[in-house]
Amino acid sequence: MSRLLLALGLPLLLALVQQQWLSSRPPHLEKLRGAAASAGPASLEARFSRPMSVAALEQASRLEPPLPHRWLGRGDTVMLALAAGQRVNGPLRLHLAGRDHRGLVLPPSTWRWDPRPRVVAVVPVPGGGEQLRLREHDGRWRALTPALSQIPQVEALGDGSGVAFTSVDAQGRQQAWRLDLRQNNLAPLTTPLAPPRPGRLQRLAGGANVLFAHLSVDRRGSLLVQSGGLSASDGKLVLWPPRGGQEVLSLKASGPVRLLPEGGGLVVPEREGLSLQSLPPRPPRRDLLPGSRDLVAFCPRAGRALLVRHWPDYRRSLELVEPGRSPRQLWIGPQAVVAAACGGAGERVWMLLVEGLAQPTLTLVDLDRRGSLRSSRTLQDWELEPGAGLHHDPTGDRLLTVLRPHASTTANAAPPPPQVVLIDTTDLMPRPLGRSGRQAVWLPPG
């Protein structure tokens, strides 16, 4: 009997000893990674071996330069979020220290962190053709792909793991591609940060040799490839999750389908309006917003987006969509809204307006969330490159697009090439980056 009791009690005793030993050990950092920021310019997510005291982390940790920030969350996973309304002009240094809820000290560590995105542009090359190039923070440009005949669309994957793009061959058929990128924007102090390195270039079968292909991405790294041919039966919608594989989706759409930035759903244009549909494994759900509307931009805060509504009298309006509310009109007028961008939950909204036919005038407008005009600038010497869009970088509070100089502003007989430009939101002044291009997007830090 004593031997039986000993055999039964020994594992329990060992488990208690092991639990006591583990509880007496200091906490340690298990994972530190960049996180999507919805309110401020950048965020970090930290996971520890046990629940930490947020107050102790705030008191013991330091950020250099000392930008305003706060620690959020509870338990073993917390987030460092930079406060809104500030700019990140270079790499940051984080001295991480604190205590857990038992008062045990976290071994300090120091990290380098650069939350700034990089520019990826479709650039014409000598001799004809186009290629993808990446702009480093010091202004240097690097080729990411070989020269292709034409690259009509490029999208950066939301987790920074790569870019997706489409190409057109001599017969006018399109092909979808994915290029993996290895980034190192967060590292211990002893490890230098490194520029992105191109990895595998993958041909995506879901968009092979079709007449058109449209791409959409979310912040998790998912990619949606929508392709089609001459007839409706040629259409195909393929979802590529971030961890590989593919899934063919069965739904009908009257235009480009977009992934929700936070994942789990689609915005589908239909004849009756825009519908919001869930993705598996979520239960099937479809919510319809009737009317003639186009989705032009998502906001960083989940569930917010900008729509352009077309009215019977040929006016257009810009609307802000928020969860549980009807679309709220921010602006209405006779001009065409050719691009828009959103900051935070819609606290800042920028849109490019075009008015006139013979000599169209391009105007950049800055609105607040109530639709009140903050500022505007007429871009007299520029016109928007078709399909370029308007993209906001919250870390530097600047806009990215591609503009073409008016032919009347140049002495050359040949049409002037379009330019990749940055626009500071304080003065709305375009500043060319010294590189001609067709498309340009922000590559999030990975």
Side-chain angles (χ1 to χ4, degrees), residues 435-446:
R435 176 67 61 178
S436 59
R438 302 287 184 184
Q439 307 287 324
V441 296
W442 293 113
L443 174 67

PDB file of all heavy atoms in Angstrom, residues 435-446:
ATOM      1  N   ARG A 435      11.460  60.165 -59.568  1.00  0.00           N
ATOM      2  CA  ARG A 435      11.322  58.890 -60.259  1.00  0.00           C
ATOM      3  C   ARG A 435       9.982  58.856 -60.972  1.00  0.00           C
ATOM      4  O   ARG A 435       8.946  59.082 -60.359  1.00  0.00           O
ATOM      5  CB  ARG A 435      11.408  57.737 -59.268  1.00  0.00           C
ATOM      6  CG  ARG A 435      11.192  56.357 -59.847  1.00  0.00           C
ATOM      7  CD  ARG A 435      12.318  55.976 -60.784  1.00  0.00           C
ATOM      8  NE  ARG A 435      13.606  55.932 -60.113  1.00  0.00           N
ATOM      9  CZ  ARG A 435      14.732  55.590 -60.709  1.00  0.00           C
ATOM     10  NH1 ARG A 435      14.709  55.280 -61.999  1.00  0.00           N
ATOM     11  NH2 ARG A 435      15.861  55.585 -60.047  1.00  0.00           N
ATOM     12  N   SER A 436      10.002  58.604 -62.272  1.00  0.00           N
ATOM     13  CA  SER A 436       8.751  58.439 -63.003  1.00  0.00           C
ATOM     14  C   SER A 436       8.132  57.103 -62.651  1.00  0.00           C
ATOM     15  O   SER A 436       8.836  56.142 -62.308  1.00  0.00           O
ATOM     16  CB  SER A 436       8.999  58.532 -64.512  1.00  0.00           C
ATOM     17  OG  SER A 436       9.911  57.540 -64.939  1.00  0.00           O
ATOM     18  N   GLY A 437       6.816  57.017 -62.698  1.00  0.00           N
ATOM     19  CA  GLY A 437       6.140  55.786 -62.320  1.00  0.00           C
ATOM     20  C   GLY A 437       4.704  55.792 -62.793  1.00  0.00           C
ATOM     21  O   GLY A 437       4.168  56.832 -63.202  1.00  0.00           O
ATOM     22  N   ARG A 438       4.082  54.616 -62.737  1.00  0.00           N
ATOM     23  CA  ARG A 438       2.683  54.460 -63.118  1.00  0.00           C
ATOM     24  C   ARG A 438       1.790  54.244 -61.904  1.00  0.00           C
ATOM     25  O   ARG A 438       0.664  54.733 -61.863  1.00  0.00           O
ATOM     26  CB  ARG A 438       2.537  53.275 -64.072  1.00  0.00           C
ATOM     27  CG  ARG A 438       3.370  53.369 -65.336  1.00  0.00           C
ATOM     28  CD  ARG A 438       2.815  54.395 -66.290  1.00  0.00           C
ATOM     29  NE  ARG A 438       3.567  54.404 -67.549  1.00  0.00           N
ATOM     30  CZ  ARG A 438       3.340  55.253 -68.537  1.00  0.00           C
ATOM     31  NH1 ARG A 438       2.374  56.137 -68.433  1.00  0.00           N
ATOM     32  NH2 ARG A 438       4.062  55.218 -69.641  1.00  0.00           N
ATOM     33  N   GLN A 439       2.286  53.486 -60.954  1.00  0.00           N
ATOM     34  CA  GLN A 439       1.550  53.187 -59.727  1.00  0.00           C
ATOM     35  C   GLN A 439       2.533  53.295 -58.564  1.00  0.00           C
ATOM     36  O   GLN A 439       3.746  53.140 -58.747  1.00  0.00           O
ATOM     37  CB  GLN A 439       0.940  51.791 -59.759  1.00  0.00           C
ATOM     38  CG  GLN A 439       0.074  51.478 -60.961  1.00  0.00           C
ATOM     39  CD  GLN A 439      -1.253  52.191 -60.898  1.00  0.00           C
ATOM     40  OE1 GLN A 439      -1.831  52.357 -59.825  1.00  0.00           O
ATOM     41  NE2 GLN A 439      -1.763  52.611 -62.049  1.00  0.00           N
ATOM     42  N   ALA A 440       2.023  53.539 -57.368  1.00  0.00           N
ATOM     43  CA  ALA A 440       2.866  53.582 -56.172  1.00  0.00           C
ATOM     44  C   ALA A 440       2.014  53.248 -54.962  1.00  0.00           C
ATOM     45  O   ALA A 440       0.879  53.719 -54.831  1.00  0.00           O
ATOM     46  CB  ALA A 440       3.520  54.952 -56.006  1.00  0.00           C
ATOM     47  N   VAL A 441       2.571  52.415 -54.069  1.00  0.00           N
ATOM     48  CA  VAL A 441       1.885  52.014 -52.835  1.00  0.00           C
ATOM     49  C   VAL A 441       2.895  52.012 -51.693  1.00  0.00           C
ATOM     50  O   VAL A 441       4.113  51.976 -51.919  1.00  0.00           O
ATOM     51  CB  VAL A 441       1.228  50.612 -52.964  1.00  0.00           C
ATOM     52  CG1 VAL A 441       0.122  50.624 -54.009  1.00  0.00           C
ATOM     53  CG2 VAL A 441       2.271  49.552 -53.295  1.00  0.00           C
ATOM     54  N   TRP A 442       2.374  52.023 -50.466  1.00  0.00           N
ATOM     55  CA  TRP A 442       3.210  51.873 -49.283  1.00  0.00           C
ATOM     56  C   TRP A 442       3.412  50.386 -48.970  1.00  0.00           C
ATOM     57  O   TRP A 442       2.453  49.627 -48.968  1.00  0.00           O
ATOM     58  CB  TRP A 442       2.570  52.537 -48.063  1.00  0.00           C
ATOM     59  CG  TRP A 442       2.468  54.034 -48.112  1.00  0.00           C
ATOM     60  CD1 TRP A 442       1.329  54.783 -48.189  1.00  0.00           C
ATOM     61  CD2 TRP A 442       3.545  54.967 -48.064  1.00  0.00           C
ATOM     62  NE1 TRP A 442       1.619  56.110 -48.208  1.00  0.00           N
ATOM     63  CE2 TRP A 442       2.974  56.275 -48.115  1.00  0.00           C
ATOM     64  CE3 TRP A 442       4.935  54.847 -47.967  1.00  0.00           C
ATOM     65  CZ2 TRP A 442       3.746  57.424 -48.086  1.00  0.00           C
ATOM     66  CZ3 TRP A 442       5.709  56.000 -47.944  1.00  0.00           C
ATOM     67  CH2 TRP A 442       5.119  57.270 -47.998  1.00  0.00           C
ATOM     68  N   LEU A 443       4.646  49.994 -48.705  1.00  0.00           N
ATOM     69  CA  LEU A 443       4.945  48.653 -48.203  1.00  0.00           C
ATOM     70  C   LEU A 443       5.038  48.722 -46.687  1.00  0.00           C
ATOM     71  O   LEU A 443       5.959  49.323 -46.136  1.00  0.00           O
ATOM     72  CB  LEU A 443       6.267  48.141 -48.780  1.00  0.00           C
ATOM     73  CG  LEU A 443       6.759  46.806 -48.214  1.00  0.00           C
ATOM     74  CD1 LEU A 443       5.832  45.663 -48.624  1.00  0.00           C
ATOM     75  CD2 LEU A 443       8.201  46.528 -48.624  1.00  0.00           C
ATOM     76  N   PRO A 444       4.069  48.096 -45.959  1.00  0.00           N
ATOM     77  CA  PRO A 444       4.128  48.151 -44.491  1.00  0.00           C
ATOM     78  C   PRO A 444       5.383  47.445 -43.973  1.00  0.00           C
ATOM     79  O   PRO A 444       5.878  46.498 -44.600  1.00  0.00           O
ATOM     80  CB  PRO A 444       2.858  47.403 -44.050  1.00  0.00           C
ATOM     81  CG  PRO A 444       1.994  47.350 -45.262  1.00  0.00           C
ATOM     82  CD  PRO A 444       2.909  47.344 -46.437  1.00  0.00           C
ATOM     83  N   PRO A 445       5.911  47.882 -42.827  1.00  0.00           N
ATOM     84  CA  PRO A 445       7.044  47.174 -42.245  1.00  0.00           C
ATOM     85  C   PRO A 445       6.633  45.778 -41.803  1.00  0.00           C
ATOM     86  O   PRO A 445       5.552  45.585 -41.229  1.00  0.00           O
ATOM     87  CB  PRO A 445       7.467  48.053 -41.057  1.00  0.00           C
ATOM     88  CG  PRO A 445       6.235  48.828 -40.726  1.00  0.00           C
ATOM     89  CD  PRO A 445       5.502  49.049 -42.008  1.00  0.00           C
ATOM     90  N   GLY A 446       7.441  44.789 -42.078  1.00  0.00           N
ATOM     91  CA  GLY A 446       7.126  43.415 -41.722  1.00  0.00           C
ATOM     92  C   GLY A 446       7.691  43.015 -40.386  1.00  0.00           C
ATOM     93  O   GLY A 446       8.528  43.703 -39.822  1.00  0.00           O
TER      94      GLY A 446
END
